[in-house]
Amino acid sequence: MLSRKGIIPEEYVLTRLAEDPAEPRYRARERRARFVSKNGNCNVAHKNIREQGRFLQDVFTTLVDLKWPHTLLIFTMSFLCSWLLFAMVWWLIAFAHGDLAPGEGTAVPCVTSIHSFSSAFLFSIEVQVTIGFGGRMVTEECPLAVLVLIVQNIVGLMINAIMLGCIFMKTAQAHRRAETLIFSKHAVIAVRHGRLCFMLRVGDLRKSMIISATIHMQVVRKTTSPEGEVVPLHQVDIPMENGVGGNSIFLVAPLIIYHVIDANSPLYDLAPSDLHHHQDLEIIVILEGVVETTGITTQARTSYLADEILWGQRFVPIVAEEDGRYSVDYSKFGNTIKVPTPLCTARQLDEDRSLLDALTLASARGPLRKRSVAVAKAKPKFSISPDSLS
């Protein structure tokens, strides 16, 4: 009926009716999951952990790793529980000594001015936080009360040290400094010094420097060993180079870090046609160094999937000299431009260097050819007619 009214073409209706409903339909493969996200978080979920008690053996690290609401809840409850516990102990001491019965107790109580559980709770707070208001104090009548006073002070100091240290470590965690270490959104592959290179840009937004900063890069992909073992996350280290050479970088201004794709590189057989979101390839970049102001080691991470690698692109310059100093334009941090690049793998380029020579010759002739065409099409501003010559 729909085909008669012209809403759906008849050829489409016949084709759909000819399909077998029982035949499975195959959908396009979705984009592969990241091992490391763009902001550096590891995309790994830990499940079925049977030995949960191992986390309690390192209580301090467990408290630091907790989220802020959980940490603040534990911080509050640790003090409240200790105050209530020792308040009960002080109330029992006063009850056993007969200090709670009005007119029936001894002349000298164990703790002065304790008449109920509320007053015992207030005295517990005063002892643990070392606030003395002068109304309640321990006397020498009961040696047990002096012992409890010593124990509560020690317990209070331990709770203060652990919880305040936990709060300090959470506020001064190293990954907070990594928030100002930025990487380019895309990586590029282009020719540099006659070789195909994988390049990315890294920068630091703060004036305080990262000391002894180093760059590491890994390629993560699914592989199968010759014995048939499937390795879902096979990590291969590849060397990175920078403009000054060596592994340590001087990150006072944004730098372009590059990796030469040679015979020892896992990207040796990577072609432009492989840079799509179905390709099982992820390149992880790790920047590690010491924070100058705090001395804490920090680490910033990012990753590039296959479709985030641009072939035949180069980063634009962003550092310029102005008024006697160098200025950095971060608005162009991730901008790239197209450059002549062979559309072949690094292996093919090494086997046939004429591809690079032809590309260099074509790029050298390109501007001259365009200029000659522009000159030929240009019209003169003045024209002399034959009549004016007569």
Side-chain angles (χ1 to χ4, degrees), residues 7-28:
I7 299 178
I8 300 178
E10 185 176 359
E11 294 81 6
Y12 179 79
V13 176
L14 294 177
T15 303
R16 295 293 297 169
L17 292 177
E19 292 180 358
D20 186 6
E23 184 179 357
R25 300 175 184 175
Y26 298 96
R27 298 180 179 178

Side-chain angles (χ1 to χ4, degrees), residues 29-35 219-224 230-234 266-267 270 273-283 304-307 309:
R29 180 184 175 186
E30 297 181 357
R31 187 173 184 175
R32 71 182 301 275
R34 287 181 178 274
F35 184 54
V219 174
V220 178
R221 66 197 325 171
K222 183 179 179 180
T223 58
T224 304
V230 178
V231 182
L233 295 174
H234 181 61
L267 307 178
L270 184 66
S273 58
D274 298 331
L275 301 181
H276 52 79
H277 65 280
H278 296 319
Q279 180 69 18
D280 187 12
L281 174 66
E282 182 176 1
I283 300 177
Y304 298 96
L305 298 182
D307 59 340
I309 302 174

Side-chain angles (χ1 to χ4, degrees), residues 52-269:
Q52 297 288 346
R54 291 181 176 269
F55 296 100
L56 298 179
Q57 295 178 3
D58 188 7
V59 180
F60 186 78
T61 305
T62 303
L63 292 176
V64 174
D65 290 340
L66 290 176
K67 296 181 179 180
W68 270 109
H70 299 161
T71 302
L72 294 178
L73 178 61
I74 295 176
F75 180 84
T76 305
M77 293 304 299
S78 61
F79 284 102
L80 286 178
C81 292
S82 63
W83 294 340
L84 288 172
L85 175 62
F86 283 98
M88 179 63 67
V89 173
W90 291 117
W91 184 83
L92 290 175
I93 292 176
F95 177 79
H97 196 257
D99 298 338
L100 300 180
E104 297 180 2
T106 58
V108 180
C110 293
V111 181
T112 60
S113 302
I114 288 185
H115 309 290
S116 62
F117 183 79
S118 298
S119 57
F121 181 74
L122 290 176
F123 180 71
S124 176
I125 297 175
E126 295 174 6
V127 170
Q128 190 160 332
V129 299
T130 65
I131 298 178
F133 295 108
R136 302 175 183 87
M137 62 179 181
V138 179
T139 62
E140 57 184 13
E141 179 69 19
C142 301
L144 180 60
V146 178
L147 179 62
V148 172
L149 179 66
I150 297 173
V151 172
Q152 185 172 3
N153 276 281
I154 296 175
V155 172
L157 290 175
M158 294 178 61
I159 294 176
N160 288 335
I162 294 175
M163 298 310 302
L164 293 180
C166 175
I167 297 296
F168 172 76
M169 292 301 299
K170 286 187 69 67
T171 54
Q173 279 185 342
H175 69 271
R176 301 299 181 186
R177 178 62 176 87
E179 296 294 335
T180 53
L181 297 174
I182 57 176
F183 299 88
S184 57
K185 183 179 180 181
H186 295 89
V188 298
I189 292 180
V191 177
R192 172 178 281 193
H193 304 300
R195 306 297 297 271
L196 281 177
C197 296
F198 173 88
M199 294 176 284
L200 60 100
R201 177 174 276 167
V202 60
D204 188 3
L205 299 179
R206 290 188 181 273
K207 292 184 178 180
S208 58
M209 295 179 53
I210 299 295
I211 304 174
S212 302
T214 56
I215 288 284
H216 306 280
M217 190 172 75
Q218 292 182 347
V219 174
V220 178
R221 66 197 325 171
K222 183 179 179 180
T223 58
T224 304
S225 64
E227 295 78 14
E229 180 185 2
V230 178
V231 182
L233 295 174
H234 181 61
Q235 303 179 25
V236 180
D237 291 331
I238 57 178
M240 297 290 291
E241 299 183 14
N242 56 74
V244 297
N247 195 28
S248 180
I249 60 176
F250 184 52
L251 199 58
V252 68
L255 295 177
I256 295 178
I257 311 299
Y258 67 95
H259 159 67
V260 179
I261 305 177
D262 53 11
N264 298 323
S265 172
L267 307 178
Y268 196 50
D269 295 320

Side-chain angles (χ1 to χ4, degrees), residues 382-390:
F382 303 96
S383 60
I384 301 176
S385 62
D387 297 338
S388 61
L389 298 176
S390 58

